[in-house]
Amino acid sequence: MKKDVVFVQGNEACVRGALYAGLDFFAGYPITPSTEIAELLSRRLPAKRGKFIQMEDEISSMCAIVGASLTGKKVMTATSGPGFSLKQEALGFAVMTETPCVIVDVQRGGPSTGLPTSVSQGDVMQARWGTHGDHAVIALTASNSQDVFAITVEAFNLAETFRTPVILLLDEVVGHTRERLVEPKAGEIDVVERLKTSVPEGTDYHPYLPREDGRLPMSDFGGVHRHHVTGLAHDMWGFPSNKPDVVYGLMHHLIDKIEGHVNEITRVKEFFVDDAECLLISYGSAARTTRHVVENRRARGEKLGLLELQTLWPFPADLVRERCASANHIIVVEMNMGQILGEVKKVVKNPDGVFLANRIDGGFITPADVLNIIRITQGKGV
Amino acid sequence: MAVKDYIRKRFFPHIWCPGCGHGTVMNAMIRAIENLGLEKNIIAVVSGIGCSARINGYLDFHTLHTLHGRALAFATGVKLSRPELTVVVPMGDGDACAIGGNHFIHAARRNIDITAIIMNNSIYGMTGGQYSPLTGYDDFATTAPFGNIDPSFDVVKLATGAGASFVARTTTYHVTSTIKILEKAITHKGFSVVEILSQCPTQFGRRNKIPSVVDMLNSYKTDTTPIGSKEKEKNPDLMERGIFIQEDRPEYCTEYDKVIERASKGR
């Protein structure tokens, strides 16, 4: 059977994954290094009777996709660090109103304008805590075009399943590396459709009353149930409430629906993890370098392993603790000052045995950067 | 249907202060919709934050209470993804002309079929009376204790300059014409802006020596005049009210349909 093979950038793999997942509406604003996503969708979406709009700024792009999602559409926006900062308030609105949407952040060097065309993974904590207030969030990542395609479909699936914004943390290297993608056939990857209420017209519909399985069926704007959606703390009808018991229930629901399903949300890839004496933990493009190091050293008989995280938030604490239990050393490889390092240290038995191999100068992390740290853990010095 | 059929009765009495003009605006809005005979299920009311934004909680339509200043951005998403909906966006001074000013001019420029109602009360009411971009020169506010030195926006000129294809101004004193104007604004295909001067006795009136609601309403009568009246020639300080712009121009969602058509032909 002839395979659907294309040679594409990660940004295009993301676009193809989004369309595979059923994307209907995209709003965005040009920003390097994510712009290709908007450019491609301006062409591809109208061709399938979807809608693309270039808004006046990053904030309005985020707002527009939330508005469109409420009419029953699958929606996405794409940006990079500075734009991701601007979207945070509206991202919190999507958290509070439980509106499914996907936000792609193709990370570049920060802070501020930083290094617009260089790679970084500095937005991991912004994805977790960028919007104000206690909340839970889902953030996914991937290290190559093939995985970007699949994880983008996953992002849409999780957004629908948990009625939440899902952040897709790509980076400049993943976004711009052009490589082989075998495009999955329709049906090859499951696609989760919007769960819509079966409550008939004339019967009370409670937009925020979870079913027994915890899911909340939606009703489209323009449908037969006229309901209220607000960023204020609200009751099961969607109307504002500041009653402590209602607010308590809402906060716990918003956090528990995600933190309570970590296993369901966790995606990892494992390379030689089982007998690894030195376990490397990495994600995104940094995991490409790490995998190269691990495979090379394995060939020489060194017991290195790679745990590649694709779900960063909610952090898969139990899984990481378990995989790290039998390794002598843990090295976290990332292009920031240790944003995931801190999470790993939090969950392992011996935090002092966790080291950071990183790069924060805009250059892509090299095998030498990782090997230098491995040598230190082996007591060889640099 | 009667007016009461358009409201969510269980949330009354409303939160607005005694004498506030916003209830009058809501009433006029409902009557306009009733006169037009619009189905409740095809109406979406998208609001921002502030006293004005609370209007949609009381209305039995699809209602979206969003972020400060961002109502038009959310509304653009709703309208473009579902153009068959009638989208109305009530906003206050800040939503429309300060924090949301950018979205306002760009929605006008696109000429997307949304009706923006700007309830101009010259003040930030909900936060307790700070000056807004619609507060007059020399007026007092909690953040302008020595008098306001900021010039104010003229909403009609701003909307006109930004490209809105329907622009009107009215007041809460002129209720009958407000209803008529809203009917035309909602029916108009394109971006419609209706500025409604709406009194805030609590936060504006008290600080500016017009604490009486009756006096505030009377000032809307005495200080305004219909567009093109002779009174304006005699007294250039009078503010004109009525419909300033009503033009047929390409509407955004209709234009986007052309994009879809071109894309499906592979152009």
Side-chain angles (χ1 to χ4, degrees):
Chain A
M1 199 173 74
K2 189 177 157 285
K3 280 184 177 170
D4 247 336
V5 182
V6 286
F7 188 64
V8 294
Q9 288 187 333
N11 282 344
E12 179 162 357
C14 174
V15 165
R16 286 170 182 254
L19 292 167
Y20 185 96
L23 177 71
D24 305 295
F25 187 98
F26 178 95
Y29 188 81
I31 185 168
T32 305
S34 78
T35 309
E36 294 85 1
I37 295 175
E39 288 175 339
L40 288 162
L41 285 170
S42 71
R43 186 172 286 275
R44 302 284 295 273
L45 269 175
K48 59 161 274 195
R49 307 197 71 79
K51 303 282 168 72
F52 165 92
I53 185 167
Q54 184 171 307
M55 292 296 286
E56 55 272 19
D57 58 26
E58 296 279 1
I59 298 171
S60 51
S61 304
M62 185 65 215
C63 298
I65 65 164
V66 172
S69 182
L70 290 169
T71 71
K73 304 294 196 293
K74 286 194 176 179
V75 302
M76 181 170 94
T77 185
T79 187
S80 186
F84 192 43
S85 296
L86 288 164
K87 291 184 192 305
Q88 292 297 339
E89 187 196 9
L91 199 157
F93 184 85
V95 168
M96 187 59 137
T97 57
E98 302 188 61
T99 307
C101 53
V102 174
I103 302 101
V104 185
D105 172 13
V106 187
Q107 296 167 95
R108 67 189 219 187
S112 188
T113 314
L115 298 162
T117 58
S118 300
V119 71
S120 156
Q121 294 177 316
D123 299 350
V124 173
M125 279 298 168
Q126 185 178 205
R128 177 65 191 89
W129 291 116
T131 197
H132 60 279
D134 267 313
H135 65 281
V137 78
I138 297 176
L140 309 174
T141 183
S143 58
N144 59 65
S145 287
Q146 194 68 48
D147 288 356
V148 166
F149 185 102
I151 211 75
T152 304
V153 179
E154 279 301 309
F156 280 90
N157 287 351
L158 294 172
E160 293 298 335
T161 304
F162 295 101
R163 275 192 66 171
T164 184
V166 173
I167 296 155
L168 199 48
L169 276 181
L170 306 184
D171 57 60
E172 193 274 336
V173 164
V174 166
H176 282 163
T177 299
R178 203 172 277 278
E179 59 190 342
R180 178 185 152 96
L181 166 69
V182 182
E183 197 152 14
K185 298 257 179 295
E188 210 175 309
I189 305 178
D190 283 340
V191 170
V192 177
E193 295 304 339
R194 174 82 39 106
L195 178 65
K196 299 200 177 170
T197 182
S198 56
V199 172
E201 184 170 12
T203 307
D204 285 344
Y205 161 67
H206 302 87
Y208 296 101
L209 180 66
R211 301 195 307 196
E212 274 182 17
D213 62 359
R215 294 188 65 185
L216 294 95
M218 295 183 77
S219 174
D220 301 344
F221 267 36
V224 295
H225 299 293
R226 296 177 301 277
H227 62 285
H228 190 55
V229 176
T230 177
L232 285 164
H234 48 267
D235 57 19
M236 66 180 180
W237 295 94
F239 287 102
S241 172
N242 50 14
K243 290 186 186 132
D245 58 327
V246 172
V247 178
Y248 180 89
L250 171 67
M251 291 297 288
H252 272 283
H253 162 71
L254 291 178
I255 291 165
D256 294 351
K257 74 174 180 180
I258 291 170
E259 299 291 346
H261 291 88
V262 177
N263 293 344
E264 207 178 312
I265 298 165
T266 296
R267 307 282 184 276
V268 296
K269 291 174 81 175
E270 303 186 39
F271 303 90
F272 311 104
V273 169
D274 288 346
D275 63 342
E277 289 168 2
C278 178
L279 180 67
L280 294 101
I281 299 176
S282 191
Y283 54 92
S285 64
R288 300 171 75 107
T289 303
T290 314
R291 185 173 166 189
H292 172 82
V293 169
V294 167
E295 286 174 350
N296 256 297
R297 294 281 150 158
R298 271 280 165 176
R300 298 194 202 172
E302 288 181 31
K303 290 197 167 171
L304 263 56
L306 165 62
L307 176 63
E308 179 185 340
L309 304 177
Q310 292 189 319
T311 299
L312 298 181
W313 307 116
F315 189 71
D318 290 340
L319 181 136
V320 169
R321 183 185 301 113
E322 199 257 315
R323 299 294 191 278
C324 290
S326 53
N328 299 330
H329 301 290
I330 315 293
I331 299 173
V332 179
V333 185
E334 53 186 340
M335 286 179 283
N336 56 47
M337 288 298 283
Q339 298 189 19
I340 285 296
L341 174 84
E343 297 305 304
V344 175
K345 278 179 177 277
K346 266 189 219 170
V347 303
V348 296
K349 273 196 185 135
N350 176 23
D352 293 340
V354 185
F355 301 90
L356 174 66
N358 73 340
R359 184 131 187 187
I360 53 155
D361 59 358
F364 183 51
I365 193 160
T366 64
D369 295 323
V370 181
L371 286 166
N372 286 342
I373 304 300
I374 292 175
R375 285 174 63 83
I376 293 171
T377 63
Q378 290 168 340
K380 291 178 184 165
V382 182
Chain B
M1 280 195 291
V3 164
K4 66 176 171 51
D5 298 324
Y6 291 92
I7 59 176
R8 292 164 170 154
K9 287 190 282 292
R10 65 185 185 281
F11 297 113
F12 282 77
H14 58 64
I15 64 158
W16 296 307
C17 304
C20 173
H22 290 3
T24 310
V25 175
M26 182 167 80
N27 192 326
M29 198 175 140
I30 293 170
R31 284 177 198 275
I33 288 167
E34 186 195 14
N35 292 347
L36 293 171
L38 298 176
E39 261 283 319
K40 290 200 281 187
N41 283 347
I42 65 143
I43 299 174
V45 182
V46 184
S47 70
I49 292 292
C51 298
S52 63
R54 292 306 187 95
I55 228 173
N56 71 358
Y58 302 118
L59 297 172
D60 187 20
F61 303 122
H62 301 285
T63 53
L64 178 56
H65 178 220
T66 69
L67 305 172
H68 193 31
R70 316 300 171 205
L72 282 169
F74 283 90
T76 299
V78 170
K79 181 67 186 180
L80 181 58
S81 65
R82 203 143 179 169
E84 68 272 24
L85 291 177
T86 296
V87 181
V88 182
V89 180
M91 292 180 287
D93 300 20
D95 271 335
C97 293
I99 192 168
N102 199 30
H103 310 308
F104 179 54
I105 57 174
H106 286 277
R109 176 179 61 84
R110 280 184 200 106
N111 197 33
I112 188 164
D113 187 14
I114 290 173
T115 302
I117 300 174
I118 299 171
M119 297 141 84
N120 175 354
N121 59 7
S122 308
I123 203 83
Y124 287 117
M126 192 165 266
T127 47
Q130 298 75 30
Y131 67 91
S132 84
L134 304 182
T135 304
Y137 185 82
D138 245 2
D139 284 345
F140 290 93
T142 58
T143 46
F146 307 110
N148 178 34
I149 59 165
D150 281 29
S152 60
F153 271 133
D154 179 326
V155 176
V156 166
K157 284 184 183 162
L158 181 64
T160 305
S165 55
F166 183 102
V167 181
R169 180 190 287 129
T170 177
T171 86
T172 48
Y173 178 87
H174 304 91
V175 179
T176 314
S177 72
T178 298
I179 297 169
K180 290 275 173 293
I181 285 173
L182 285 174
E183 283 173 29
K184 287 180 183 156
I186 292 167
T187 319
H188 178 76
K189 194 150 175 68
F191 192 69
S192 313
V193 177
V194 181
E195 179 189 19
I196 307 180
L197 306 185
S198 175
Q199 73 281 3
C200 176
T202 305
Q203 304 295 5
F204 186 84
R206 279 192 307 157
R207 289 192 181 82
N208 289 280
K209 300 197 172 69
I210 26 172
S212 150
V213 177
V214 176
D215 288 346
M216 291 186 94
L217 280 168
N218 265 328
S219 74
Y220 290 159
K221 179 187 172 191
T222 54
D223 297 351
T224 66
T225 182
I227 297 169
S229 76
K230 283 193 178 140
E231 292 297 312
K232 177 80 177 170
E233 287 166 26
K234 284 186 225 157
N235 180 4
D237 288 343
L238 289 177
M239 187 182 256
E240 287 181 301
R241 58 186 156 77
I243 297 169
F244 294 79
I245 307 278
Q246 189 172 12
E247 292 171 6
D248 274 338
R249 287 200 221 130
E251 190 275 328
Y252 192 79
C253 300
T254 312
E255 288 295 298
Y256 200 85
D257 286 342
K258 293 181 190 167
V259 172
I260 290 176
E261 201 180 311
R262 285 176 212 149
S264 60
K265 284 179 191 157
R267 219 184 81 188

